[in-house]
Amino acid sequence: MDDITNLITQGKGKRLYATENPKEAVVYYRDETFAYHGLKRGRIIGKGEINNLICEYMFTMLTEKGVPNHFIRRIDNRCSLVKRVEIIPVTVKVRNIVAGSLAKRIGQPDGTHLRNTVIEYNLKDSEQDDPLVNLTHITALGLATPQEIQRMEEMSLKVNQIVGECMRDINIELIDFKLEFGRFEGEVLLADEVSPDTCRFWDAKTHEPLDIDRFRRDLGDVEEGYREILHRLTGNVLKTNDD
Ligand code: 5GP
């Protein structure tokens, strides 16, 4: 998958390659990681392999439970085949408990209870640090139609319910997460990833983060957090390799 001529795009944690089929693409999960809009960079050894397996688990479960998504199948340790969607340039964040940028914005500590689920929209524009916007901005800028936004919100709440229940069963709290969606043959599909790179997962007993926040906040044992999620989800004790 190192054929650079096939590279479509490169993100913080993944590369996307074209295939012979224009309707499909290959996602390559990387060990590289970035935080704070690229100001902090590093590597989490084995993260790519672990995220590939966690995403296979999550997308398979979401497909079975009726959330249409881009996942087709896992190809090998670090690669999966996906439908080649046109990404909608708006991300959806779903929050069950205050943490991260919301904690800063409203001046409340991480872990503060929320009476209802919070949904936020951000522009996918890293040069502007992915600014927070509302629904009228999205339609005014022509980034998505009201119908697409409604579908994205419905699907995001369903993902929250399905992944939240699945994580509760393995004693992990789903604090918040970020989703991306794409257009494919007239339908809106869940795209990108559902992994410790995009979700805050806290151990239900200790409230310790088991996700990318271990890297963002220099908490150490970053890879162990990712491994723990995979192990609790699938029973898999993976021996990972460098990429
Ligand atoms: P926050 O806005 O509090 O920083 O993040 C909310 C949720 O979205 C967290 O689960 C966080 O990991 C995820 N998230 C926020 N920004 C990014 C990003 O640029 N990339 C990825 N992969 N996830 C993000």
Side-chain angles (χ1 to χ4, degrees):
M1 269 312 133
D2 283 335
D3 184 353
I4 210 74
T5 57
N6 285 338
L7 187 68
I8 301 170
T9 179
Q10 176 158 302
K12 291 173 194 158
K14 299 186 292 298
R15 292 194 196 108
L16 193 70
Y17 293 92
T19 67
E20 280 170 12
N21 183 343
K23 293 196 168 179
E24 295 178 352
V26 170
V27 180
Y28 177 94
Y29 288 88
R30 311 168 69 194
D31 285 354
E32 277 79 10
T33 194
F34 297 80
Y36 306 117
H37 305 288
L39 290 177
K40 181 171 176 176
R41 291 165 180 240
R43 272 166 75 81
I44 304 170
I45 303 299
K47 171 173 85 74
E49 289 186 51
I50 297 172
N51 276 355
N52 193 24
L53 288 166
I54 292 177
C55 286
E56 176 186 32
Y57 184 92
M58 292 291 185
F59 282 127
T60 305
M61 171 175 72
L62 290 167
T63 301
E64 281 166 7
K65 298 192 185 239
V67 180
N69 62 72
H70 72 160
F71 183 78
I72 301 173
R73 66 182 162 83
R74 187 165 64 80
I75 298 172
D76 60 22
N77 287 358
R78 285 178 181 272
C79 294
S80 286
L81 190 67
V82 296
K83 293 175 184 159
R84 190 167 172 181
V85 302
E86 177 201 349
I87 289 287
I88 297 172
V90 173
T91 67
V92 182
K93 288 182 186 172
V94 178
R95 301 181 183 271
N96 298 307
I97 288 174
V98 173
S101 69
L102 178 62
K104 261 200 206 130
R105 198 180 329 126
I106 63 173
Q108 299 269 343
D110 275 18
T112 303
H113 169 76
L114 290 167
R115 287 188 174 77
N116 53 264
T117 307
V118 168
I119 301 221
E120 292 173 359
Y121 298 93
N122 290 75
L123 299 189
K124 245 179 88 67
D125 184 347
S126 51
E127 290 195 3
Q128 303 297 326
D129 294 345
D130 302 331
L132 182 69
V133 291
N134 68 32
L135 299 180
T136 64
H137 293 111
I138 298 170
T139 50
L141 293 167
L143 301 175
T145 65
Q147 293 76 16
E148 284 173 333
I149 300 167
Q150 194 189 344
R151 189 71 186 121
M152 284 159 62
E153 182 173 321
E154 255 171 40
M155 288 165 75
S156 300
L157 290 172
K158 205 162 168 185
V159 170
N160 192 35
Q161 189 204 331
I162 295 167
V163 176
E165 265 176 36
C166 161
M167 300 314 280
R168 255 194 304 282
D169 287 347
I170 55 170
N171 292 318
I172 289 172
E173 279 180 287
L174 175 61
I175 305 302
D176 58 30
F177 54 94
K178 179 211 72 158
L179 299 177
E180 294 188 20
F181 294 86
R183 304 179 178 105
F184 186 80
E185 297 182 341
E187 204 189 352
V188 174
L189 300 184
L190 174 64
D192 195 44
E193 64 184 297
V194 180
S195 78
D197 270 7
T198 57
C199 304
R200 285 197 171 91
F201 293 131
W202 291 1
D203 180 272
K205 261 200 203 133
T206 64
H207 306 298
E208 276 279 294
L210 297 169
D211 54 64
I212 187 74
D213 269 353
R214 298 200 70 82
F215 170 76
R216 290 190 187 113
R217 293 161 52 194
D218 292 320
L219 299 177
D221 292 334
V222 184
E223 189 197 333
E224 286 316 308
Y226 282 69
R227 265 180 206 291
E228 182 64 23
I229 300 284
L230 177 67
H231 183 231
R232 289 199 208 176
L233 278 175
T234 67
N236 190 338
V237 186
L238 189 69
K239 287 210 169 48
T240 51
N241 301 299
D242 251 8
D243 71 344

